Amino acid sequence: MREPDIPINRVDWLVVVIYFALVIIGWFNIYAAVYDSQAPQSMFDMSINSGQQLVRIGISVVLIILIMAADHRLFENLALPIYLVFLFILLLTPVFGKEVNGQVLSIGFGSFRIQPGEFAKFATALALAKVMERPTFDLAKTKNQLVAFGVLMLPIVLILLQPDTGTAMVYFSFLIMFYREGLPQRYYILGLGFIALTLLALGIENNLYLVGAIAILALILISIGKTSWKRTIAFSAIALLMIGYTYSIDWVVSKLPPHQQNRIMVLFNPDIDPLGVGWNVTQSKIAIGSGGFFGKGYLQGTQTKFDFVPEQHTDFIFCTLGEEFGWAGSFIVIGLFVALLYRLVVMAERQKTRFSRIYGYSVVSILFFHFMINISMTIGLFPVVGIPLPFFSYGGSSLWSFTMLLFIFVKMDASRSQQLGRIS
């Protein structure tokens, strides 16, 4: 049975307007990143990135129309089949995909290629929403935790086989959604503790200092008050595990590919090799800082014009914005992202089914993670991991996957009055 037409006023037009604003601003910045003042070309020229991106924007509009015209129940009914299809494609990618710089990220025919790891994000969001939609599904229970993490870990493992650490890392953003759905806080405290310990182990040149601090902390905890022998053993075991972990970090890092080791080194010491491994981050910060308050003007960026920042139209697109539009332009774009994320949270909370709410928070989690990590990467607060800025960076797979991710939720929200089900 065909779904009744949805009144136009039920679509959240604020989200739609912000989406197109980010896409259009991104398109102008992609042109600026490849603009050559000595041999200027039209931004509609199909031989340069801006022209190619315009075609991809057109395809995105077609995808939006198809999604909005579909029955909202289609996405829920096909959630698990879509997930399984993309798991299968991820499995085939290392075998039949195209290798670039030691990574096999894309699959396709001829010049048309897609990155399955990007599309698997919305497929995983749908699958998690489907698995967790039952009112009895409680993330405080170990059995349910294993199910949810099993669905999450399958695409991560397959993407790591490519290997694509940056994309695999994005999938951990679903932990934000898990928190909203009731995953106990102790897991987050434990995780943050290990992250802090990892950063300390990587940042301190001599691990003996860190080991000494852990040992002293353990002794203090053991000596406080009347401590039972069981608690003493527990504290001692934790201290030994922490000490062993600090030394194991060095071993793990030594097994990473050289370029990933270099990115970690640059995070803690950006000046270690400014003309080598630190070049990207150093030039990125120079480009953003040189823009000042209002920027140098559109197409006037010197860092951009002379290609000082590699991959400036993709991972480092924010540099172009910062140099040519300055603090003011950066503030506006960041404001648009924050407004989009806030609006999506509002939309997620007003859903009438748990499936839609979980999917909505998954959308928020993925977009927030990409936004936070990409900008942090360009200003030297996070290692360079190849994560695009949503709706902004050059690329078909990223734009199409983000578009599908977002507008499936826009469709769900517009259809919420027709949804039946309990939400808890």
Side-chain angles (χ1 to χ4, degrees):
M1 181 177 178
R2 187 179 181 274
E3 181 182 36
D5 291 334
I6 299 173
I8 197 169
N9 59 358
R10 290 184 183 173
V11 175
D12 198 296
W13 288 105
L14 178 59
V15 169
V16 176
V17 169
I18 294 175
Y19 164 82
F20 279 105
L22 289 171
V23 168
I24 293 170
I25 296 171
W27 179 55
F28 275 95
N29 277 274
I30 289 169
Y31 177 64
V34 299
Y35 177 74
D36 185 355
S37 59
Q38 302 300 317
Q41 295 172 278
S42 168
M43 62 195 309
F44 301 96
D45 192 328
M46 291 295 113
S47 66
I48 60 175
N49 291 337
S50 60
Q52 296 164 14
Q53 189 70 2
L54 184 60
V55 174
R56 290 162 178 161
I57 292 172
I59 295 174
S60 296
V61 173
V62 174
L63 289 173
I64 292 170
I65 295 171
L66 293 175
I67 290 170
M68 297 306 293
D71 190 319
H72 72 274
R73 293 165 293 190
L74 179 70
F75 306 110
E76 183 175 354
N77 294 337
L78 295 181
L80 293 180
I82 290 172
Y83 173 73
L84 293 174
V85 166
F86 276 101
L87 285 183
F88 182 68
I89 297 174
L90 285 173
L91 191 62
L92 294 180
T93 301
V95 180
F96 299 102
K98 180 180 180 181
E99 182 175 343
V100 178
N101 297 326
Q103 295 177 308
V104 185
L105 307 181
S106 63
I107 192 169
F109 302 95
S111 59
F112 178 79
R113 312 193 70 83
I114 63 169
Q115 294 185 15
E118 294 291 337
F119 290 92
K121 295 171 190 173
F122 85 85
T124 304
L126 287 171
L128 284 170
K130 186 64 177 177
V131 167
M132 297 169 60
E133 71 173 341
R134 300 191 317 274
T136 56
F137 192 96
D138 184 2
L139 272 178
K141 297 180 180 179
T142 303
K143 179 182 69 173
N144 293 333
Q145 292 169 11
L146 292 175
V147 171
F149 278 101
V151 173
L152 178 61
M153 290 304 298
L154 280 174
I156 292 176
V157 172
L158 294 176
I159 290 170
L160 287 175
L161 294 177
Q162 296 180 359
D164 186 3
T165 308
T167 301
M169 187 184 301
V170 173
Y171 285 77
F172 287 103
S173 66
F174 285 101
L175 290 172
I176 300 173
M177 179 272 289
F178 285 169
Y179 182 81
R180 168 61 182 86
E181 295 304 317
L183 186 67
Q185 292 184 3
R186 61 179 178 272
Y187 293 108
Y188 295 90
I189 295 172
L190 183 64
L192 291 173
F194 272 103
I195 291 173
L197 188 61
T198 301
L199 293 175
L200 285 171
L202 292 171
I204 298 176
E205 293 184 4
N206 190 343
N207 277 345
L208 286 175
Y209 295 112
L210 183 56
V211 168
I214 293 172
I216 293 171
L217 176 62
L219 289 173
I220 292 173
L221 292 173
I222 291 171
S223 62
I224 292 176
K226 296 180 179 180
T227 307
S228 66
W229 66 271
K230 291 182 179 180
R231 187 171 297 178
T232 301
I233 292 176
F235 281 141
S236 301
I238 292 172
L240 289 173
L241 285 173
M242 291 173 70
I243 291 170
Y245 183 73
T246 58
Y247 279 105
S248 68
I249 289 297
D250 291 333
W251 179 84
V252 171
V253 171
S254 68
K255 299 300 180 181
L256 293 175
H259 71 279
Q260 293 183 354
Q261 294 183 38
N262 293 335
R263 289 171 179 175
I264 293 173
M265 290 166 56
V266 169
L267 175 65
F268 292 98
N269 187 2
D271 300 323
I272 190 171
D273 186 9
L275 298 179
V277 297
W279 175 264
N280 286 21
V281 175
T282 300
Q283 296 303 317
S284 173
K285 291 192 289 186
I286 290 173
I288 294 172
S290 67
F293 193 86
F294 289 112
K296 298 175 180 176
Y298 187 55
L299 303 181
Q300 302 302 312
T302 53
Q303 296 292 115
T304 296
K305 186 184 300 182
F306 296 110
D307 296 327
F308 282 103
V309 184
E311 306 299 331
Q312 194 158 346
H313 60 296
T314 53
D315 300 339
F316 285 89
I317 189 67
F318 190 74
C319 300
T320 305
L321 176 73
E323 183 181 18
E324 299 193 346
F325 295 96
W327 182 90
S330 301
F331 179 80
I332 291 172
V333 169
I334 291 174
L336 287 173
F337 274 110
V338 172
L340 176 63
L341 291 169
Y342 173 77
R343 190 61 187 169
L344 290 174
V345 170
V346 171
M347 290 167 61
E349 286 296 334
R350 71 188 184 193
Q351 297 308 298
K352 295 185 177 181
T353 66
R354 198 176 186 195
F355 177 88
S356 298
R357 186 186 70 194
I358 292 171
Y359 182 81
Y361 269 101
S362 297
V363 175
V364 174
S365 302
I366 294 170
L367 293 180
F368 171 74
F369 192 88
H370 269 271
F371 162 69
M372 180 186 68
I373 296 300
N374 180 273
I375 293 181
S376 297
M377 185 178 72
T378 59
I379 59 179
L381 296 180
F382 199 85
V384 179
V385 290
I387 292 179
L389 189 59
F391 318 121
F392 222 84
S393 295
Y394 172 82
S397 292
S398 62
L399 177 60
W400 298 333
S401 62
F402 284 130
T403 298
M404 295 173 72
L405 176 78
L406 177 63
F407 277 90
I408 286 174
F409 184 50
V410 171
K411 172 66 176 183
M412 290 179 183
D413 180 68
S415 306
R416 67 185 183 278
S417 62
Q418 303 168 23
Q419 297 172 357
L420 299 175
R422 292 187 299 166
I423 189 165
S424 59

